């Protein structure tokens, strides 16, 4: 009786709170836009439960602006001075003592020491330019931004007030609009940022100004009430639910090296301080339990992101790229929801192998879900979370596939149970490959016939069919010396006898010293496989109007290259050829944050924009795991 009364009272209150914080979030974004002309974006990230209506938003905005720099990033700046000697991340230690990770041991290693340790292991050497990414295309000006934006259909994505609901003057007062409708304040010449669009009228946003938060509104798509194959709805019986975000946050160094790609952006919104504040606000708003980041610049990670995320309750792990690039991947998890079982950094660079001479990396964590005490003595399987950023070069699909093979082999090793099956897996990141490309289909279908395929075809990013010379994929795709089979498994884990393995979980990653790979093992002819049974959270077309989903917008061309894949059991009559996988395996997809169309992002001046501070959108999904009685 008391419980049901509480339910009736608490549920509406919780919903109201959510609605209020959503409204505040959008106001705060506009405030950030208004402040974008200042070199430092101020304000703390705490969200106040405030009213959702426009008036209140404006009031809040004014109040926030008046507060000015007095509250300069209070939550963040505290973190900046945290002694690195007590940093949380103790990856090397964990690798030495898997399973013995505890608070005391974490304190023994400073984050900088660990970083140095890795750097030493990586034997970094400067690489000649030729080993880097393809040279940037010549860009004379932001051509794409000059194309007139169609302001019609994209508003189908807006979940809040329709366009005509407020008077035009109100929009004009909106700081999101003002910031983009007027030229920036004149500043002394020596301080003036180079803004290449001075006087280029066609680059102004469309005349009917819509606040960014309206254009870029993202729906939560809820699947929790859809019954699964067993007819069970989410929440039938005890379950463990969590959310995961995957986000390429655009490394500042990479952005500066490829500044031609960002000519459409006002320089103020490209400053790291502005973008950092915006990104943190996004993390705080969506509040994921697991955060998988790509393009995390090392200094920004140690000095700002890690301390801030730690204060938000995350424990974070980082793997920097090999070579001279300064960014890498990070995986963070809420310590109230998960306990770390193991962390495995993955380097794709292999000295002496031309196929693997690029500096991309991945990071694989095995996490033990922490079941709330109220559920009693129940158990949940560990969860394997794998995050990577694959090579960009659209011509080198051969390299991308070899990188993916190493990544899948690591995931297989970390997630493998003693009976040969796998624990639930989430594989996410920026794969620099589009949906339905051979690389994408390989992950989803578990098989790829690659022999004779032009290397550029693998990722589907660009069509190079007109070029005379085309590198073709030859079998075997990678040499046996890599120690990885055509099923994307380490040779050692394939050949290991069951009886040699102790029962339980941790054994597969205790063995860090992989012995010399056996020189010969059977290779297939022109086919690679994996057995992880993965399917994508996103379906790559928007439900409302069937347009392609976009996760990034290089030079105004929208495409999907970011993914969250997750374990799904094969259908009962699971036939590999029908390419169908059910979504009701050990991980159930409860919902996802909708993506946007290219047209919608055009209307917001592409990416990054004052509201979204990366050239990628974040991906967010909610899952449920089965909880079993012991
Ligand atoms: O597409 V990305 O952006 O996932 O957002 O991944 C790579 C590219 C990232 C890391 O290498 O840098 C970007 N043209 C355009 N973008 C490039 C290029 C290039 N030639 N090289 C690297 N990137």
């Amino acid at each position: 009786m008391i419980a049901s009364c509480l339910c009736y009272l608490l549920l509406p209150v919780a919903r109201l709170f959510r609605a209020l914080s959503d409204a505040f979030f959008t106001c705060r974004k506009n405030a950030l836009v208004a402040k974008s002309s200042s070199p430092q974006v101020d304000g703390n990230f705490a969200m106040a439960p405030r009213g959702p209506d426009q008036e209140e938003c404006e009031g809040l905005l004014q109040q926030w602006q008046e507060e000015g720099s007095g509250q300069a990033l209070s939550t963040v700046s505290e973190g900046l001075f945290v002694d690195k000697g007590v940093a949380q991340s103790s990856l090397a230690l964990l690798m030495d003592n898997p399973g013995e990770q505890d608070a005391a041991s974490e304190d023994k290693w400073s984050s900088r020491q660990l970083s140095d340790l890795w750097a030493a292991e990586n034997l970094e050497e400067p690489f000649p330019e030729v080993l880097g990414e393809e040279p940037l295309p010549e860009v004379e000006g932001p051509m794409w931004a000059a194309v007139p934006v169609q302001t019609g259909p994209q508003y189908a994505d807006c979940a809040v007030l329709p366009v005509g609901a407020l008077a035009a003057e109100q929009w004009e007062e909106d700081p999101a609009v003002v910031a983009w409708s007027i030229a920036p304040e004149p500043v002394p010449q020596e301080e003036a940022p180079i803004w290449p669009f001075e006087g280029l009228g066609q680059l102004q946003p469309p005349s009917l100004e819509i606040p960014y938060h309206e254009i870029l509104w993202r729906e939560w798509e809820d699947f929790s009430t859809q019954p699964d194959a067993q007819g069970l709805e989410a929440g039938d019986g005890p379950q463990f639910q969590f959310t995961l975000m995957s986000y390429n946050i655009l490394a500042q160094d990479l952005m500066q090296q490829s500044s031609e790609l960002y000519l459409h952006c006002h320089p103020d919104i490209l400053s790291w301080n502005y973008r950092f504040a915006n990104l943190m606000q996004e993390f705080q708003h969506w509040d994921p339990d697991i955060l998988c980041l790509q393009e995390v610049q090392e200094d920004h990670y140690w000095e700002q992101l890690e301390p801030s995320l730690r204060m938000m309750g995350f424990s974070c792990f980082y793997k920097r790229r090999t070579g001279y690039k300064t960014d890498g991947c990070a995986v963070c998890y809420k310590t109230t929801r998960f306990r770390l079982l193991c962390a495995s950094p993955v380097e794709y660079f292999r000295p002496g192998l031309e196929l693997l001479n690029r500096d991309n990396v991945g990071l694989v964590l095995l996490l033990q879900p922490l079941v709330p005490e109220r559920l009693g003595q129940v158990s949940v399987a560990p969860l394997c979370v794998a995050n990577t950023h694959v090579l960009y070069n659209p011509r080198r699909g051969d390299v991308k596939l070899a990188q993916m093979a190493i990544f899948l082999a690591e995931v297989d090793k970390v997630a493998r149970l003693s009976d040969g099956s796998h624990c639930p897996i989430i594989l996410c990141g920026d794969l620099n490959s589009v949906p339905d490309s051979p690389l994408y289909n390989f992950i989803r279908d578990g098989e790829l016939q690659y022999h004779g395929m032009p290397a550029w075809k693998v990722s589907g990013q660009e069509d190079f069919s007109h070029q005379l010379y085309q590198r073709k994929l030859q079998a075997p795709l990678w040499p046996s010396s890599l120690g990885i089979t055509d099923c994307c498994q380490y040779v050692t884990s394939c050949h290991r006898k069951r009886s040699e393995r102790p029962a339980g979980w941790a054994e597969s990653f205790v063995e860090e010293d992989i012995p010399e790979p056996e020189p010969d093992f059977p290779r297939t002819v022109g086919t690679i496989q994996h057995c992880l049974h993965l399917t994508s959270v996103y379906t790559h077309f928007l439900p409302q109007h069937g347009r392609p989903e976009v996760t990034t917008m290089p030079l105004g061309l929208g495409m999907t290259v970011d993914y969250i894949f997750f374990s799904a059991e094969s259908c009962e009559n699971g036939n590999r050829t029908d390419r169908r996988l059910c979504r009701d395996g050990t991980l159930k997809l409860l919902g996802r944050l909708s993506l946007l169309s290219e047209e919608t992002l055009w209307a917001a001046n592409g990416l990054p924009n004052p509201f979204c501070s990366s050239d990628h959108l974040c991906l967010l999904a909610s899952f449920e795991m089965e909880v079993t009685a012991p």
Side-chain angles (χ1 to χ4, degrees):
M1 176 67 185
I2 295 169
S4 57
C5 284
L6 276 174
C7 267
Y8 279 116
L9 278 172
L10 288 178
L11 270 175
V13 169
R15 285 199 185 118
L16 181 66
F17 182 81
R18 180 83 191 180
L20 296 179
S21 36
D22 277 350
F24 182 79
F25 177 64
T26 56
C27 290
R28 176 53 61 83
K29 287 284 177 183
N30 284 340
L32 283 168
V33 172
K35 298 286 282 183
S36 72
S37 56
S38 83
Q40 173 86 35
V41 176
D42 302 323
N44 64 38
F45 299 125
M47 279 199 293
R50 301 299 294 261
D53 61 69
Q54 186 78 11
E55 245 177 58
E56 183 143 16
C57 282
E58 279 165 11
L60 264 174
L61 184 59
Q62 202 181 347
Q63 182 196 330
W64 190 84
Q65 282 173 303
E66 279 162 13
E67 281 165 15
S69 56
Q71 304 183 10
L73 290 175
S74 62
T75 55
V76 178
S77 54
E78 277 168 38
L80 298 183
F81 304 107
V82 169
D83 179 8
K84 291 208 185 71
V86 291
Q88 296 292 307
S89 307
S90 54
L91 185 52
L93 196 66
L94 279 163
M95 286 161 58
D96 288 344
N97 307 299
E100 290 180 20
Q101 185 250 348
D102 58 34
S105 67
E106 278 180 0
D107 286 351
K108 289 180 197 156
W109 289 71
S110 82
S111 46
R112 196 56 82 178
Q113 280 171 317
L114 290 163
S115 168
D116 291 345
L117 187 92
W118 275 347
E121 280 176 0
N122 296 342
L123 298 171
E124 280 178 26
E125 281 173 25
F127 287 93
E129 203 57 44
V130 70
L131 293 185
E133 304 282 24
E134 291 293 300
L136 281 167
E138 289 275 315
V139 183
E140 285 175 1
M143 301 293 291
W144 65 272
V147 178
V149 175
Q150 291 168 3
T151 51
Q154 69 269 21
Y155 301 123
D157 285 339
C158 301
V160 286
L161 297 170
V163 176
L166 287 172
E169 312 86 70
Q170 277 178 281
W171 296 123
E172 277 157 26
E173 280 165 23
D174 190 302
V177 176
V178 174
W180 284 88
S181 306
I182 57 170
E185 285 287 308
V187 282
Q189 198 52 47
E190 58 275 15
E191 293 169 29
I194 302 155
W195 194 32
F197 302 153
E198 205 77 57
L200 295 184
Q202 78 273 24
L203 293 160
Q204 297 296 320
S207 54
L208 176 61
E209 303 293 0
I210 312 292
Y212 279 86
H213 70 262
E214 295 275 319
I215 300 171
L216 298 167
W217 188 266
R218 296 176 64 181
E219 295 277 5
W220 181 255
E221 297 176 60
D222 185 7
F223 310 126
S224 63
T225 51
Q226 291 175 8
D228 65 15
Q230 287 87 48
L232 294 174
E233 283 187 12
D236 287 2
Q239 304 287 345
F240 181 83
Q241 298 183 351
F242 64 95
T243 54
L244 177 141
M245 174 181 280
S246 179
Y247 201 178
N248 178 327
I249 59 169
L250 179 58
Q252 197 72 10
D253 283 348
L254 288 179
M255 189 184 78
Q256 279 157 8
Q257 283 155 24
S258 302
S259 54
E260 300 89 335
L261 298 177
Y262 307 99
L263 293 176
H264 60 289
C265 304
H266 190 290
D268 287 350
I269 66 145
L270 294 180
S271 83
W272 170 247
N273 284 332
Y274 180 87
R275 297 200 306 114
F276 171 62
N278 242 358
L279 291 167
M280 287 307 300
Q281 199 186 39
E282 221 168 335
F283 301 151
Q284 194 163 52
H285 175 72
W286 296 118
D287 195 27
D289 298 308
I290 302 170
L291 189 53
C292 295
L293 302 175
Q294 305 89 40
E295 287 200 28
V296 181
Q297 196 167 304
E298 191 178 28
D299 55 344
H300 292 157
Y301 174 77
W302 292 118
E303 287 162 21
Q304 288 165 290
L305 285 158
E306 195 276 338
S308 308
L309 289 167
R310 181 150 30 100
M311 282 195 296
M312 285 167 63
F314 287 100
S315 192
C316 293
F317 290 83
Y318 180 70
K319 173 61 188 157
R320 187 188 143 157
R321 284 216 257 174
T322 51
Y324 60 87
K325 295 265 171 62
T326 54
D327 66 299
C329 294
V331 179
C332 310
Y333 61 91
K334 286 267 177 72
T335 51
T336 51
R337 308 296 325 278
F338 296 95
R339 181 170 56 88
L340 184 74
L341 294 176
C342 108
S344 221
V346 191
E347 292 179 1
Y348 303 136
F349 177 78
R350 300 295 150 112
L353 278 188
E354 200 272 330
L355 182 70
L356 288 161
N357 63 6
R358 306 304 170 100
D359 293 309
N360 308 81
V361 293
L363 186 52
V364 185
L365 262 57
L366 191 65
L367 299 173
Q368 178 60 54
L370 299 174
V371 184
E373 270 177 25
R374 61 181 164 79
L375 294 184
Q377 286 290 311
V378 289
S379 67
V380 193
L383 172 72
C384 176
V385 176
N387 178 27
T388 189
H389 188 184
V390 167
L391 178 75
Y392 164 76
N393 192 329
R395 289 187 176 83
R396 297 303 303 270
D398 51 338
V399 179
K400 292 177 201 246
L401 280 175
Q403 293 186 342
M404 192 44 70
I406 297 176
F407 191 51
L408 291 168
E410 193 66 32
V411 173
D412 171 79
K413 186 174 93 169
V414 170
R416 183 97 66 92
L417 295 159
S418 47
D419 67 358
S421 65
H422 295 96
C423 70
I425 295 164
I426 296 183
L427 184 154
C428 66
D430 179 344
L431 304 187
N432 270 314
S433 303
V434 305
D436 213 30
S437 62
L439 187 137
Y440 172 91
N441 289 340
F442 170 53
I443 295 171
R444 195 196 53 186
D445 303 340
E447 183 167 310
L448 177 69
Q449 291 185 4
Y450 65 83
H451 191 62
M453 183 182 288
W456 62 264
K457 262 197 182 168
V458 169
S459 68
Q461 289 156 291
E462 279 184 59
D463 185 347
F464 293 105
S465 55
H466 55 279
Q467 291 201 339
L468 270 182
Y469 170 72
Q470 303 203 3
R471 185 191 295 266
K472 297 260 169 61
L473 305 189
Q474 306 287 342
L477 198 49
W478 54 82
S480 299
S481 62
L482 189 60
I484 292 176
T485 68
D486 290 309
C487 289
C488 297
Q489 292 178 324
Y490 289 122
V491 179
T492 42
S493 51
C494 295
H495 287 221
R496 195 188 301 131
K497 285 191 216 125
R498 287 273 154 73
S499 56
E500 289 171 7
R501 307 179 69 186
W505 276 98
E507 77 278 15
S508 66
F509 43 87
V510 173
E511 316 149 20
E512 276 310 316
D513 331 317
I514 298 169
E516 277 298 299
E518 287 154 49
D520 36 61
F521 51 91
R523 302 297 300 261
T524 54
V525 184
T527 304
I528 49 172
Q529 295 180 326
H530 73 80
C531 50
L532 300 181
H533 302 294
L534 300 170
T535 194
S536 170
V537 163
Y538 288 90
T539 50
H540 319 307
F541 291 94
L542 292 164
Q544 300 98 328
H545 42 56
R547 282 166 210 237
E549 291 172 341
V550 165
T551 68
T552 186
M553 275 288 269
L555 289 170
L557 181 69
M559 59 171 86
T560 284
V561 295
D562 304 274
Y563 301 92
I564 301 175
F565 287 98
F566 67 103
S567 297
E569 293 296 316
S570 298
C571 290
E572 255 176 33
N573 56 350
N575 175 1
R576 271 189 177 272
T577 55
D578 77 1
R579 294 181 173 185
R580 282 188 310 119
L581 286 167
C582 297
R583 287 222 178 95
D584 48 5
T586 40
L587 273 176
K588 181 173 164 62
L589 180 66
L590 296 181
R592 65 180 175 224
L593 185 63
S594 69
L595 288 163
L596 299 170
S597 69
E598 186 183 82
E599 292 80 3
T600 300
L601 286 166
W602 272 55
N605 209 33
L607 289 173
N609 58 49
F611 197 84
C612 304
S613 276
S614 172
D615 58 346
H616 292 244
L617 293 176
C618 67
L619 278 60
L620 182 74
S622 167
F623 297 96
E624 186 173 80
M625 285 172 82
E626 282 170 0
V627 171
T628 50

